[in-house]
Amino acid sequence: VRPVRLELEGFGAFNARTVLDFDGADLFAFTGPTGAGKSTLVDAMVFALYGSVPRYGDRRLVAPAISQGAAEARVRFDFTVDDVTYIAVRVVRRTKTGATTKEARLESAAGELLAGNEKELGQAVERLLGLEYDHFCKCVVLPQGRFAEFLHDRPEARQELLVELLDLGVYREMGRAARLRAAESAARATALAGRLDSLAWATPDRRAELAAAIDRLTALAAEIEAEQPVIDELGRRRAAAEADAAAAGQRSSVLARVRTPDGVAALASALDEAASTVDAAKADEEQAERATAEAERALTARPRRGALEETLRRLELRDGHLGQQEKGRRVRADLEDRVGHEAEGLARAERAAAEAEERLASVQRSHLAHAVADQLAVGRPCPVCLQTVTVVPVRTVPGDLDAGRRGQREARRGVDRARAEHQAAERELHTVEVTLASIERHLADLDDLAGVDPPAVRRQLAAVDEAERALDAARRAEQGARRIWRDADRRAQELRGREAAARTEFDRVRDRLTGMASALATAPPERTGALAADWDTLTGWAEAEAVDQERRAGDLACQVDELAEEQRRRVRDLAARCAGCDIEIDLDAVTAGRSPRDLVVDRLARSEAELDQVDEAIDEARTLTGGVERAREQGDVAVELGRHLAASGFERWLLDEALAVLVDGATDVLFGLSGGQYSLAVDPRSRNFAVIDHRNADQPRPARTLSGGETFLASLALALALADQLTLLAARGGARLESIFLDEGFGSLDPATLDVVASAIEELGAQGRMVGLISHVAELAERVPVRFVVDKVGTGASVERVDR
Ligand SMILES: Nc1ncnc2c1ncn2[C@@H]1O[C@H](COP(=O)(O)OP(=O)(O)OP(=O)(O)O)[C@@H](O)[C@H]1O
Ligand SMILES: [Mg+2]
């Protein structure tokens, strides 16, 4: 890192904005009185890069950097690395409890943002400079009071610094990579070996076994192909013989079951008997028919029953009419008498009525006279004669008028009654006369009966009754005879029906037997028409044939057994051959015609597939074996490399070498600076720095025994040697120690030594490296080409560049 420009404001003593321009300042000095702000400028540069201030002793502490009375500290540091310009800016703001970084960025000269925050800036700077903060403070900036840190460092800390400076981390990375690769190779070897183990089954023996099995199976498949048709043919023949035997047995049992039906023998005589019974009954029935006809003729010869009965009825009617006529005549005579008698009574009543009328009229007249007389007064005209009355006659009391009227009504009622009686008698008489006239007319109608003899008529009717009874009996006899005939006929018909059924049954049985005749020795006997005889012949024939069929069934059964045995033998042979190939077959299935060929072909296919697998596995195992060997070889190499590159191995050796070179370089410088008194060395046991005192018998002693000034010289020598040798030692360019800042230490030197040191430093400037000295020692500062004179200004500080 080479400073180009530093700008700070509110930082430490520099509360006002201050700018330093390092252009052309290869060797420069910050100079000024104690407490002026020289170290603050170095702090500002370190702070801009790393965000920490060395003297605070705490990397996180930033608040103390903000100027008292200021709110924020701002630093901008322009620098180059390998001639490329960068700008680092940091702004820290005061907070209630401390301070916080408000801005942190890294830009290129062209304004490109390379880091935008605190974290990114820190990482970018470490990457750019190749140095972390602690190491930066040991070999680029030797802060005031800490310049001897590298000289006095523990060997391990120094080793870390050198590793970083020399970029030896690359060997550590290589070691890590080698170890990683070793682990990977080991893992791969293990995995491959595992896979190889899993293929252990794929042996050449197994392969040979499979090949032999495939040969055997191929041969077996061919054998099965030849043998199965033979087995199947045997099966077919056996099945046919079985079927024939069963059919013969069946026929035998059918023939054995042929029997003459019960009653067939008795049926013929029963039929004859029934026929003669029918004939006899028929003759009887005809005889009865003739008898009936005879009885009918006898009845017809007689007078008709109706006429006879009519004659008798009319005779009885005539007798009735005669009786009534006689009785009517007697009644008429009586009624004639009664009419005469009633006529007399009526005449009497009429006379009595006339008398009663007369009496009433007389009484009424007397009452009228009496009434007129009452009105007569002497001197007054008579109402009747209109003559003046002279004397009023004396009058007796007139008769009873009411009695007269009652008598008149009585007499009239007597007339009415007598007339009604008389009229009633006359009506009755008239009725009787009408009746008698009617009887006489009826009797006139029956006049033809004169001369008829009723007993004769009754005798004739009795004869008719007799003839009718005879006819009835004849008809009943005829019906009886007909019933008997019909019963006999029915019986005969029934027998004929039975005979027909027996005949049908015979035909059925014979037809059935005829149906199997082709399989029998002889044909069934012909039918003759004599049913019983036919049945007997058929039964005898069937018995003989049944025996024959039974014998044939026996023969066929023997044949079946022979065929089955032959088939079984062949199937067993085949099974034995399959068993030789480890194939178990179902004997029944093979016997039933299901060929085991598929099983064999399937097994063959599987064996072939397995053979392919074995071949593949053997190939793979071969490849794997090579792979395992390669992985192990690679692993061994990587393990070896990792071991060599371990921190205690190659790196340690490299560091020791580097340290030796460094010590040589530093010795050169120190020898000059100390006026030939000291050389630098490394104590082989403690690995700490030691000095060899050439003025004291070249005795080595620890570097810590040096005085303050001597320590500064030794540190300076180391720092310069480090900067010199770094590019030479570094693995890939290493850190970029393009500048060095030495803050004080010079005050501890006497004038003569200071002169030597100053000369040495002047020489450094000429080597192209940038060197910044910080010192209040004016003599030293004045020998430097560019001075930044720092001064206190009130509460702050100011800087002024003074070029010589
Ligand atoms: N935050 C701050 N605000 C104000 N002043 C500060 C702050 N921090 C430190 N100072 C003061 O700034 C001044 C400059 O200090 P600095 O260490 O830079 O001095 P110097 O020039 O290096 O002195 P010396 O020669 O003694 O080493 C000192 O007086 C110091 O006390
Ligand atoms: Mg100081």
Side-chain angles (χ1 to χ4, degrees):
V1 58
R2 287 176 74 95
V4 175
R5 183 174 175 276
L6 178 66
E7 179 186 328
L8 63 165
E9 182 177 359
F11 192 90
F14 297 88
N15 47 12
R17 181 168 170 274
T18 307
V19 179
L20 278 74
D21 188 350
F22 296 95
D23 186 30
D26 282 347
L27 177 58
F28 64 85
F30 292 156
T31 183
T34 299
K38 307 181 288 294
S39 297
T40 302
L41 293 172
V42 178
D43 290 347
M45 286 188 279
V46 178
F47 178 75
L49 293 171
Y50 290 98
S52 300
V53 176
R55 72 171 107 163
Y56 298 161
D58 182 347
R59 281 212 63 179
R60 288 163 302 174
L61 214 54
V62 291
I66 304 170
S67 300
Q68 280 177 336
E72 64 176 32
R74 163 182 290 274
V75 180
R76 170 183 162 153
F77 182 39
D78 297 19
F79 60 96
T80 62
V81 175
D82 290 341
D83 295 328
V84 181
T85 307
Y86 299 91
I87 301 153
V89 176
R90 274 186 206 263
V91 179
V92 178
R93 172 163 290 182
R94 200 186 291 284
T95 62
K96 276 185 187 151
T97 52
T100 177
T101 300
K102 192 184 139 205
E103 199 180 327
R105 62 189 153 86
L106 182 72
E107 286 174 7
S108 69
E112 188 192 349
L113 186 70
L114 305 171
N117 59 41
E118 220 184 332
K119 191 176 170 200
E120 286 175 11
L121 178 56
Q123 289 169 347
V125 166
E126 283 192 15
R127 205 167 45 243
L128 211 54
L129 273 50
L131 280 173
E132 58 173 81
Y133 171 76
D134 279 341
H135 296 163
F136 184 82
C137 295
K138 283 177 185 171
C139 57
V140 175
V141 170
L142 305 190
Q144 188 170 19
R146 289 170 59 184
F147 52 81
E149 263 182 8
F150 185 58
L151 183 69
H152 293 154
D153 244 357
R154 288 175 298 114
E156 300 78 34
R158 195 164 54 232
Q159 181 168 332
E160 283 306 311
L161 172 62
L162 284 175
V163 166
E164 189 173 1
L165 285 176
L166 304 177
D167 201 15
L168 299 187
V170 70
Y171 299 111
R172 288 190 181 175
E173 271 168 38
M174 280 167 64
R176 241 196 318 279
R179 281 187 292 280
L180 202 65
R181 187 165 297 178
E184 277 170 8
S185 294
R188 197 165 72 250
T190 308
L192 291 173
R195 172 73 185 141
L196 194 58
D197 279 353
S198 75
L199 297 176
W201 51 273
T203 59
D205 285 354
R206 179 65 188 144
R207 192 189 184 288
E209 247 173 53
L210 282 169
I214 286 167
D215 289 348
R216 277 200 309 279
L217 287 164
T218 310
L220 181 59
E223 271 177 52
I224 289 170
E225 222 145 310
E227 188 64 11
Q228 187 68 42
V230 178
I231 291 169
D232 291 352
E233 178 55 26
L234 284 169
R236 267 193 298 280
R237 283 171 58 198
R238 192 198 58 191
E242 262 170 5
D244 287 351
Q250 180 78 16
R251 280 194 297 272
S252 167
S253 70
V254 167
L255 288 161
R257 276 203 302 276
V258 174
R259 294 256 185 289
T260 304
D262 290 343
V264 166
L267 199 56
S269 58
L271 258 171
D272 289 350
E273 202 176 300
S276 54
T277 306
V278 168
D279 289 349
K282 185 66 184 163
D284 286 354
E285 191 246 7
E286 282 167 1
Q287 171 67 33
E289 243 173 34
R290 280 194 298 277
T292 303
E294 187 58 33
E296 276 170 353
R297 267 194 305 280
L299 183 59
T300 317
R302 300 262 169 212
R304 300 257 321 283
R305 162 182 284 279
L308 290 173
E309 282 176 347
E310 179 64 12
T311 304
L312 272 181
R313 189 185 65 78
R314 290 179 74 214
L315 282 171
E316 278 169 16
L317 196 61
R318 191 184 62 174
D319 286 352
H321 286 321
L322 288 175
Q324 280 176 348
Q325 191 180 45
E326 197 188 292
K327 196 178 156 194
R329 280 176 182 160
R330 273 196 310 274
V331 171
R332 185 174 60 184
D334 288 350
L335 280 171
E336 280 167 351
D337 286 351
R338 204 178 120 197
V339 167
H341 179 71
E342 296 292 349
E344 281 170 22
L346 178 60
R348 264 191 316 277
E350 280 172 343
R351 273 191 310 277
E355 284 166 14
E357 292 282 350
E358 187 48 39
R359 268 190 310 276
L360 178 58
S362 155
V363 172
Q364 282 172 332
R365 272 186 315 269
S366 72
H367 271 271
L368 277 172
H370 192 69
V372 173
D374 269 354
Q375 288 173 13
L376 290 179
V378 177
R380 295 243 193 133
C382 173
V384 178
C385 62
L386 297 173
Q387 291 168 6
T388 309
V389 176
T390 56
V391 172
V392 178
V394 179
R395 302 236 22 124
T396 60
V397 178
D400 190 349
L401 191 57
D402 286 342
R405 283 185 184 131
R406 266 196 310 274
Q408 183 206 30
R409 280 197 301 273
E410 231 18 81
R412 281 179 183 171
R413 276 200 291 270
V415 170
D416 289 343
R417 268 196 306 274
R419 191 177 288 129
E421 292 290 334
H422 179 243
Q423 284 172 348
E426 275 183 337
R427 272 196 305 276
E428 279 182 42
L429 178 61
H430 177 71
T431 304
V432 170
E433 276 172 345
V434 168
T435 304
L436 279 172
S438 164
I439 290 169
E440 269 163 25
R441 275 194 307 278
H442 285 309
L443 284 173
D445 288 342
L446 299 168
D447 270 355
D448 58 315
L449 295 175
V452 173
D453 181 20
V457 172
R458 282 195 193 90
R459 278 195 302 277
Q460 281 178 335
L461 198 56
V464 167
D465 281 348
E466 181 60 28
E468 279 177 353
R469 272 197 298 279
L471 180 58
D472 261 5
R475 279 181 179 149
R476 274 199 298 279
E478 186 191 340
Q479 278 168 4
R482 189 169 291 132
R483 226 176 1 259
I484 289 167
W485 169 65
R486 283 191 183 137
D487 285 352
D489 194 46
R490 235 190 331 275
R491 160 93 177 128
Q493 270 173 22
E494 187 205 327
L495 285 169
R496 275 196 297 279
R498 276 169 60 192
E499 193 206 23
R503 172 78 51 199
T504 308
E505 172 64 7
F506 176 82
D507 289 346
R508 191 184 66 75
V509 171
R510 189 179 175 283
D511 286 351
R512 187 169 168 208
L513 298 172
T514 307
M516 60 171 77
S518 62
L520 302 176
T522 57
E526 287 303 322
R527 169 179 167 177
T528 62
L531 186 61
D534 282 352
W535 267 114
D536 283 350
T537 315
L538 188 66
T539 308
W541 169 84
E543 257 168 43
E545 283 293 338
V547 170
D548 185 50
Q549 289 298 322
E550 180 127 14
R551 185 185 48 70
R552 278 170 71 177
D555 291 352
L556 285 164
C558 289
Q559 209 175 323
V560 166
D561 288 348
E562 281 163 17
L563 288 166
E565 181 48 40
E566 170 68 2
Q567 198 188 25
R568 262 198 301 281
R569 189 182 59 70
R570 284 180 175 269
V571 171
R572 271 199 303 271
D573 281 0
L574 202 57
R577 269 168 280 166
C578 288
C581 284
D582 226 15
I583 292 174
E584 198 182 321
I585 61 170
D586 181 348
L587 298 186
D588 291 343
V590 175
T591 307
R594 286 197 289 282
S595 170
R597 186 179 173 279
D598 285 354
L599 280 178
V600 175
V601 169
D602 184 52
R603 179 68 63 85
L604 187 60
R606 273 190 286 143
S607 296
E608 281 167 351
E610 201 184 334
L611 183 65
D612 286 350
Q613 284 172 358
V614 169
D615 282 344
E616 275 169 29
I618 287 174
D619 276 358
E620 192 188 344
R622 205 173 293 131
T623 312
L624 284 170
T625 310
V628 170
E629 278 167 17
R630 266 195 307 285
R632 284 193 179 136
E633 274 168 22
Q634 284 168 0
D636 290 348
V637 171
V639 166
E640 192 65 9
L641 188 61
R643 205 163 49 73
H644 284 309
L645 291 179
S648 57
F650 179 65
E651 185 188 304
R652 171 76 174 277
W653 174 85
L654 210 60
L655 284 172
D656 288 349
E657 286 302 300
L659 203 58
V661 172
L662 199 61
V663 166
D664 279 357
T667 298
D668 283 353
V669 180
L670 182 60
F671 195 75
L673 290 178
S674 62
Q677 186 179 357
Y678 294 115
S679 290
L680 205 59
V682 175
D683 177 38
R685 270 189 297 120
S686 67
R687 298 180 64 234
N688 283 323
F689 283 118
V691 285
I692 296 164
D693 192 347
H694 297 296
R695 294 197 193 144
N696 203 352
D698 290 346
Q699 280 294 308
R701 56 184 156 91
R704 287 190 178 272
T705 58
L706 292 172
S707 78
E710 288 168 343
T711 301
F712 176 70
L713 292 179
S715 294
L716 185 61
L718 260 179
L720 295 177
L722 199 58
D724 271 350
Q725 307 295 335
L726 207 57
T727 36
L728 200 74
L729 295 169
R732 320 178 277 200
R736 286 150 191 86
L737 304 187
E738 297 167 297
S739 56
I740 186 164
F741 299 87
L742 303 165
D743 192 354
E744 282 301 352
F746 304 99
S748 54
L749 304 179
D750 59 60
T753 312
L754 192 63
D755 187 47
V756 174
V757 170
S759 306
I761 287 169
E762 274 168 0
E763 215 171 296
L764 282 176
Q767 287 168 3
R769 185 155 353 92
M770 194 172 192
V771 178
L773 306 176
I774 295 92
S775 179
H776 59 266
V777 181
E779 297 90 328
L780 183 68
E782 273 156 19
R783 293 176 67 160
V784 170
V786 178
R787 276 181 297 155
F788 291 92
V789 181
V790 186
D791 210 353
K792 290 184 185 175
V793 183
T795 56
S798 71
V799 184
E800 189 189 352
R801 174 170 167 163
V802 180
D803 288 34
R804 195 165 46 148

